[in-house]
Amino acid sequence: MLTNLSNVLRACAQRNGAAVVMSARTYADFTTQATFEVKKCDLFKLEEGPATQVVMTRDEGLQYYRTMQTMRRMELKADQLYKQKIIRGFCHLYDGQEACAVGIEASINLSDHLITAYRAHGYTLTRGGTVKEIMAELTGRRGGIAKGKGGSMHMYCKHFYGGNGIVGAQVPLGAGVALACKYQGNNELCVCLYGDGAANQGQIFETYNMAALWKLPVIFICENNRYGMGTSVERAAASTDYFKRGEFIPGLRVDGMDILCVREATRFAADHCRSGKGPILMELQTYRYHGHSMSDPGVSYRTREEIQEVRSKSDPISLLKDRMLSNNMASVEELKEIDVEVRKEIEDAAQFATTDPEPPLEDLCNHIFSNNPPLDVRGTNPWSKLKSVS
């Protein structure tokens, strides 16, 4: 009888034609949800903050784990392809910061809006892009999410506005998206992300002012990974309390290495915006394992020991994994099977990204406008013409 039950469970666990390897325990043996204590957020101009007792279901935990592992493996593969000179140009990797993107996405809707800077691969994934599309964009192929014409810094999908190369320039654009949300009265909001290196930009403070005046539904999020390029925050900013920079905008400082802490803080911030109270500012204290970009080895301004200490004590994936295992929400075998599936997905995407054709020259000027009739675009001189098709 038990043998038959095991066979039925294995058959039900089929996914994409391959059986998911399970431990000797059945799903009924696992805890379906558990309550966790998370670090209290520092508050600015707020009487109360996000909950510190949070609930996570087993299904949520497995999905968070899969998504963060996919991000991690995708970035490590990008590192490999860059060193092989298959990916060229600017390339800023997100490994170490996965809890930020996945935690934020867990508390907003896909109909909400998000804009970020040039460390954008992770957000492209959470906003709906596929690993195959992202990897093909990195290698400049037709199957890329921007058809091979955007590269690492310029990826887009529905309700995701990039991927922006100019430091801090995405912040006023995000406020403009939030203004559209308010104007249309659709109860949507915009998450507007920037790094600690951009936090001293004047245009950001101008945007704070307008967003507060007009009570725009925007969550400003500073991903503080402790270094703006090769400069530590202590050497770059007179005040490193980035969550207080809004002055007249309430703020939160959040443990950005803990996905549950990020999730609850974002949920709190989203409720604040949707209730008509205007903008809110979040500082996520996080860390990048790679250098600023692939041209930066990342060890001339910080020690290898510092990086290793963060990896061993604060890694967001390890933290989630330990929580799930210690609360009987998953088995080691189950998580290892997810790792195997993720690695295969990454390898398949890398194979596609290195064999898909590059876009032809005649595609160069396409998609300048949306839903416009074809038009001529000047080439490299006044006598050469290229066609643009929407």
Side-chain angles (χ1 to χ4, degrees), residues 355-367:
T355 56
D356 192 49
E358 295 181 356
L361 180 62
E362 53 266 27
D363 285 1
L364 179 65
C365 296
N366 288 350
H367 312 110

Side-chain angles (χ1 to χ4, degrees), residues 5 9 72 167 172 204-205 207 233 242 244 266 315 322 329:
L5 179 59
L9 285 167
R72 178 72 56 88
V167 175
I204 291 179
F205 293 93
T207 306
V233 293
Y242 296 105
K244 296 180 180 178
T266 307
D315 183 77
D322 291 346
M329 300 182 81

Side-chain angles (χ1 to χ4, degrees), residues 44-45 205 208 242-251 281:
F44 177 68
K45 289 190 176 295
F205 293 93
Y208 288 164
Y242 296 105
F243 72 113
K244 296 180 180 178
R245 291 285 192 92
E247 189 178 351
F248 31 74
I249 296 174
L281 201 160

Side-chain angles (χ1 to χ4, degrees), residues 25-239:
R25 291 179 291 170
T26 67
Y27 286 133
D29 295 325
F30 292 119
T31 304
T32 56
Q33 69 175 41
T35 302
F36 300 93
E37 182 79 26
V38 298
K39 183 179 177 182
K40 185 178 180 181
C41 297
D42 295 324
L43 307 180
F44 177 68
K45 289 190 176 295
L46 289 167
E47 292 182 3
E48 58 181 35
T52 55
Q53 293 276 338
V54 303
V55 174
M56 179 179 72
T57 68
R58 168 180 149 81
D59 289 344
E60 287 172 342
L62 291 173
Q63 185 57 55
Y64 300 159
Y65 181 82
R66 181 182 291 274
T67 306
M68 288 202 289
Q69 276 289 28
T70 303
M71 277 186 199
R72 178 72 56 88
R73 291 288 163 188
M74 181 174 71
E75 296 296 61
L76 294 178
K77 176 56 71 173
D79 171 89
Q80 181 185 349
L81 294 177
Y82 197 96
K83 288 171 179 172
Q84 293 171 359
K85 297 186 177 181
I86 295 171
I87 296 173
R88 309 299 290 262
F90 292 107
C91 186
H92 305 80
L93 302 183
Y94 199 66
D95 51 319
Q97 299 183 211
E98 296 90 352
C100 298
V102 181
I104 289 167
E105 198 64 58
S107 289
I108 61 173
N109 307 317
L110 277 174
S111 57
D112 289 320
H113 309 265
L114 191 144
I115 188 168
T116 189
Y118 35 75
R119 203 177 302 279
H121 308 163
Y123 288 102
T124 309
L125 182 69
T126 60
R127 288 272 86 189
T130 66
V131 177
K132 186 180 286 189
E133 290 173 326
I134 294 167
M135 295 300 295
E137 191 58 42
L138 288 171
T139 57
R141 307 304 172 109
R142 290 185 76 170
I145 200 161
K147 305 193 183 301
K149 298 192 287 185
S152 171
M153 299 195 294
H154 304 292
M155 300 185 186
Y156 311 91
C157 51
K158 191 172 180 62
H159 302 310
F160 175 57
Y161 307 88
N164 292 268
I166 305 300
V167 175
Q170 72 278 7
V171 179
L173 296 179
V177 173
L179 176 60
C181 292
K182 182 169 184 176
Y183 184 78
Q184 292 170 359
N186 52 22
N187 201 34
E188 294 171 2
L189 57 82
C190 183
V191 175
C192 185
L193 295 121
Y194 55 96
D196 53 276
N200 299 317
Q201 285 273 322
Q203 59 189 322
I204 291 179
F205 293 93
E206 291 181 53
T207 306
Y208 288 164
N209 183 59
M210 287 188 285
L213 275 174
W214 299 337
K215 291 192 180 303
L216 300 184
V218 56
I219 306 174
F220 295 112
I221 300 183
C222 175
E223 287 184 288
N224 177 8
N225 60 25
R226 293 164 52 177
Y227 297 94
M229 297 187 71
T231 306
S232 68
V233 293
E234 292 81 11
R235 294 180 60 218
S239 169

Side-chain angles (χ1 to χ4, degrees), residues 294-306:
M294 284 302 298
S295 61
D296 168 24
V299 291
S300 60
Y301 49 86
R302 58 182 184 176
T303 64
R304 295 183 189 277
E305 290 73 23
E306 177 187 301

Side-chain angles (χ1 to χ4, degrees), residues 149 360-369 372-380 383-390:
K149 298 192 287 185
L361 180 62
E362 53 266 27
D363 285 1
L364 179 65
C365 296
N366 288 350
H367 312 110
I368 295 175
F369 297 105
N372 268 34
L375 71 150
D376 288 334
V377 177
R378 176 183 150 156
T380 55
W383 302 278
S384 63
K385 299 290 183 184
L386 294 166
K387 281 286 184 189
S388 176
V389 179
S390 297

Side-chain angles (χ1 to χ4, degrees), residues 195-382:
D196 53 276
N200 299 317
Q201 285 273 322
Q203 59 189 322
I204 291 179
F205 293 93
E206 291 181 53
T207 306
Y208 288 164
N209 183 59
M210 287 188 285
L213 275 174
W214 299 337
K215 291 192 180 303
L216 300 184
V218 56
I219 306 174
F220 295 112
I221 300 183
C222 175
E223 287 184 288
N224 177 8
N225 60 25
R226 293 164 52 177
Y227 297 94
M229 297 187 71
T231 306
S232 68
V233 293
E234 292 81 11
R235 294 180 60 218
S239 169
T240 57
D241 290 335
Y242 296 105
F243 72 113
K244 296 180 180 178
R245 291 285 192 92
E247 189 178 351
F248 31 74
I249 296 174
L252 301 163
R253 181 157 56 195
V254 183
D255 181 359
M257 303 299 273
D258 182 349
I259 183 172
L260 296 183
C261 201
V262 175
R263 186 190 73 175
E264 293 308 307
T266 307
R267 184 173 292 160
F268 177 90
D271 290 343
H272 176 95
C273 287
R274 293 194 212 278
S275 66
K277 295 177 182 176
I280 190 168
L281 201 160
M282 288 169 56
E283 174 190 344
L284 303 183
Q285 293 186 312
T286 185
Y287 198 82
R288 55 171 163 80
Y289 294 153
H290 269 85
H292 170 72
S293 69
M294 284 302 298
S295 61
D296 168 24
V299 291
S300 60
Y301 49 86
R302 58 182 184 176
T303 64
R304 295 183 189 277
E305 290 73 23
E306 177 187 301
I307 301 168
Q308 188 54 43
E309 183 179 15
V310 176
R311 281 185 181 274
S312 62
K313 294 181 179 179
S314 305
D315 183 77
I317 298 175
S318 297
L319 177 60
L320 176 65
K321 180 179 179 179
D322 291 346
R323 276 177 169 158
M324 294 191 72
L325 293 176
S326 61
N327 285 272
N328 192 37
M329 300 182 81
S331 67
V332 172
E333 294 85 357
E334 188 176 17
L335 296 181
K336 281 183 179 177
E337 181 58 28
I338 291 175
D339 295 345
V340 170
E341 291 172 3
V342 166
R343 284 193 180 96
K344 184 180 186 309
E345 182 183 10
I346 301 301
E347 289 303 323
D348 290 347
Q351 178 67 23
F352 174 77
T354 52
T355 56
D356 192 49
E358 295 181 356
L361 180 62
E362 53 266 27
D363 285 1
L364 179 65
C365 296
N366 288 350
H367 312 110
I368 295 175
F369 297 105
S370 173
N371 299 323
N372 268 34
L375 71 150
D376 288 334
V377 177
R378 176 183 150 156
T380 55
N381 62 64

